[in-house]
Amino acid sequence: MTHFNIHHIGYLVKKIDKAMEAFQHLGYSAVSDIIYDGGRKVHICFMEKDGYRIELVSPGDSSSVVSGLLKKYKNSPYHICYETADFETDFASLSAEGFTAIDTPTPAPALGGRRVVFLMNPFLGMIELLETP
Ligand code: NI
């Protein structure tokens, strides 16, 4: 079976600076700058509290990959990211077990260029798979 570690919970937010302030009131600290991912047209910032890491994601403009999701779900958590040292094997294994890739493995600028891929499962929604550096 797989050896995933949970890397972060992805959180859709309309305004990333306002969201950071609100999370700071709850005791979260920013652990990255706000980084712009030009491929996905999203602003991203990582924050942590009590060993939990969240990824704030806000759209750069209306053509962003998350604009539609934000309209539908508002400000809310929307994926859990799993990290694996065996990216190719786990990607193939998940694909064979009902997780359907909704994009192709792509380097993530906000994660040092490590590859990520998003997959959908009909019973638990969206996950992200991230390769260990
Ligand atoms: Ni993520």
Side-chain angles (χ1 to χ4, degrees), residues 5-11 53 55 77-83 117-119 124-130:
N5 294 310
I6 292 179
H7 184 271
H8 65 259
I9 296 169
Y11 214 108
R53 188 184 296 118
E55 173 194 42
Y78 74 113
H79 71 261
I80 296 178
C81 176
Y82 299 90
E83 182 177 9
V117 63
F118 287 88
L119 305 106
L124 61 74
M126 184 156 61
I127 68 163
E128 179 179 19
L129 190 65
L130 164 68

Side-chain angles (χ1 to χ4, degrees), residues 17-30 47 49:
D17 50 341
K18 296 288 186 189
M20 285 176 72
E21 281 178 33
F23 275 111
Q24 277 161 3
H25 284 302
L26 294 174
Y28 288 80
S29 305
M47 299 185 83
K49 175 179 169 57

Side-chain angles (χ1 to χ4, degrees), residues 4-110:
F4 297 146
N5 294 310
I6 292 179
H7 184 271
H8 65 259
I9 296 169
Y11 214 108
L12 281 173
V13 296
K14 209 169 280 184
K15 297 182 190 301
I16 199 162
D17 50 341
K18 296 288 186 189
M20 285 176 72
E21 281 178 33
F23 275 111
Q24 277 161 3
H25 284 302
L26 294 174
Y28 288 80
S29 305
V31 293
S32 79
D33 295 327
I34 299 175
I35 294 159
Y36 186 64
D37 179 337
R40 293 196 163 92
K41 297 185 180 175
V42 291
H43 300 283
I44 289 174
C45 181
F46 288 97
M47 299 185 83
E48 285 181 2
K49 175 179 169 57
D50 303 336
Y52 291 89
R53 188 184 296 118
I54 59 172
E55 173 194 42
L56 307 187
V57 183
S58 74
D61 64 46
S62 58
S63 67
S64 154
V65 289
V66 298
S67 293
L69 291 175
L70 192 53
K71 273 198 192 104
K72 191 170 173 184
Y73 298 118
K74 312 297 181 189
N75 298 306
S76 63
Y78 74 113
H79 71 261
I80 296 178
C81 176
Y82 299 90
E83 182 177 9
T84 171
D86 203 351
F87 186 84
E88 300 297 344
T89 304
D90 286 337
F91 180 36
S93 155
L94 287 169
S95 299
E97 287 164 22
F99 291 79
T100 305
I102 57 173
D103 59 6
T104 53
T106 309

